[in-house]
Amino acid sequence: MDELIHELTLVLLREFPGSMPELEQAKPLQKVGGYLIWNGFEGIEQIDRQRQLTAAIKRTLPPSEQLRVTTILTVTPEESELMRAE
């Protein structure tokens, strides 16, 4: 699982320069999920952010690894701060 987290983190850093991926194993599933925090999402609707993320994952990971990725929330740094303040 750590290997997939590492590989996916590298993919996200490459595809979303300057981003801050925060990934972890989604328990009890053997899948990886978390947050992708990126200034580039500013002004972009959530559905379009998810489309960008999905396209990047499909472009870079083999299908067997794509199936091991679960929910990754796409947020701006400001949105992330607001979520953590609650």
Side-chain angles (χ1 to χ4, degrees), residues 8-37:
L8 184 54
T9 297
L10 293 177
V11 164
L12 296 176
L13 289 171
R14 184 176 63 244
E15 295 289 318
F16 300 91
S19 67
M20 296 172 283
E22 295 181 2
L23 304 173
E24 63 185 12
Q25 179 180 347
K27 301 197 189 267
L29 306 172
Q30 294 298 310
K31 295 189 176 198
V32 172
Y35 296 91
L36 177 58
I37 304 164

Side-chain angles (χ1 to χ4, degrees), residues 41-68:
F41 291 137
E42 187 71 41
I44 299 175
E45 294 290 326
Q46 189 59 238
I47 189 68
D48 294 324
R49 296 174 186 187
Q50 289 296 314
R51 286 182 179 135
Q52 288 179 356
L53 173 63
T54 299
I57 290 171
K58 286 184 175 182
R59 204 173 35 250
T60 57
L61 292 180
S64 61
E65 289 185 358
Q66 292 174 28
L67 293 173
R68 296 175 55 204

